[in-house]
Amino acid sequence: MVASLHHVEVGRVDGPVVVLGTSLGTSTAMWDPQVRALAERCRVVVLDHRGHGGSGVVDGPATIDDLGGDVLVLLERLSIDRFSWVGLSLGGMVGMWLATRRPGRVERLALVCTAAHLPPAEAWLERAATVRRDGTAAIADAVVGRWFTPGFIARDPAVVDAHRAMLLATSPEGYASCCEAIAGMDLRPDLPAATVPTLVHSLERAEQVALALEARHYRLRPPAPAARWSAQDWGWALASIALAVAALLWRS
């Protein structure tokens, strides 16, 4: 069953289309700073995955095919044929699915801190069960602790609180179903079919994605030297990815 996806659209109607895919447990608001920069030159569409933000909830487990199918229905409704995709985490997974299943429609691809396969499946299924039983509040501290370093949490609690609010506002069923999609996902055999120019920006899994793409059409942005990025690096990473895609579009 297809979910009705909430989206925000800004920018130039006649500009190149850039679609931004959000991470697990967030909403379109996570991309607000990047949207402002991209909207000057591009038609920008930001979407919530099923069960996230303002999007509809579909009961039961989802697959990566379901999440990609939701996006295709939205793009048809918006009369968007060709587009560039920037995806963080879950959004990157959906972007890889789109690039392999609809390669003629994706012009550019930017993958941020994502993976084509993210085992163990048991951990995702356990998280799904926890959230269905106890809500997203049961995992909020652990998730937010992965998103932001202790130093950033102390320096900028307003940003942290805003992202925690996104997570807490996410439907437990929607969050759990997306966890189950990740548990069952393995895009590695399909990635060689993705021939679009691809920018990979990741801490640990860029090599996995790049090797699966057979190093034909990607640029790898190396991680920061520190063993763990600071939240300031994270914010810079999102901005640099979005602006890098914009630069590619402006030159094309």
Side-chain angles (χ1 to χ4, degrees):
M1 181 176 177
V2 175
S4 176
L5 298 189
H6 166 259
H7 75 285
V8 175
E9 183 174 350
V10 296
R12 295 179 50 171
V13 175
D14 60 345
V17 178
V18 179
V19 184
L20 304 181
T22 54
S23 66
L24 181 66
T26 65
S27 69
T28 59
M30 65 152 279
W31 284 114
D32 282 352
Q34 290 72 44
V35 166
R36 288 192 289 271
L38 290 170
E40 295 178 6
R41 299 290 186 93
C42 303
R43 178 184 177 187
V44 184
V45 177
V46 194
L47 58 87
D48 290 324
H49 300 293
R50 59 170 60 194
H52 288 61
S55 291
V57 179
V58 178
D59 290 338
T63 66
I64 194 67
D65 291 348
D66 293 328
L67 303 186
D70 292 343
V71 173
L72 291 175
V73 170
L74 172 64
L75 296 178
E76 290 296 329
R77 179 156 56 90
L78 298 177
S79 299
I80 293 174
D81 181 31
R82 291 179 61 77
F83 56 92
S84 293
W85 180 276
V86 182
L88 170 68
S89 180
L90 179 61
M93 297 169 188
V94 174
M96 286 183 272
W97 185 92
L98 291 166
T100 57
R101 300 304 197 278
R102 299 292 189 275
R105 298 185 62 179
V106 180
E107 295 180 327
R108 304 284 191 277
L109 184 63
L111 306 173
V112 189
C113 292
T114 190
H117 181 53
L118 198 56
E122 293 76 17
W124 291 105
L125 298 176
E126 181 179 345
R127 190 190 299 193
T130 298
V131 169
R132 278 201 178 94
R133 184 182 64 245
D134 302 323
T136 53
I139 62 167
D141 287 344
V143 170
V144 172
R146 286 192 291 270
W147 286 348
F148 301 100
T149 62
F152 186 87
I153 292 172
R155 282 193 309 273
D156 206 336
V159 171
V160 178
D161 289 346
H163 284 76
R164 179 186 290 271
M166 289 184 222
L167 176 60
L168 294 176
T170 302
S171 156
E173 181 61 32
Y175 189 96
S177 67
C178 287
C179 286
E180 289 159 337
I182 296 172
M185 176 197 70
D186 188 354
L187 296 170
R188 293 173 298 176
D190 303 319
L191 281 185
T195 58
V196 299
T198 301
L199 185 66
V200 182
H201 201 318
S202 181
L203 286 177
E204 297 174 350
R205 299 184 183 273
E207 291 294 336
Q208 177 203 89
V209 174
L211 289 172
L213 285 166
E214 296 185 347
R216 294 176 302 178
H217 296 278
Y218 82 95
R219 279 192 165 188
L220 176 62
R221 167 71 186 173
R228 184 181 183 190
W229 282 3
S230 70
Q232 291 165 314
D233 292 322
W234 177 251
W236 170 84
L238 294 184
S240 67
I241 291 295
L243 293 174
V245 171
L248 286 172
L249 290 167
W250 298 339
R251 290 199 298 267
S252 62

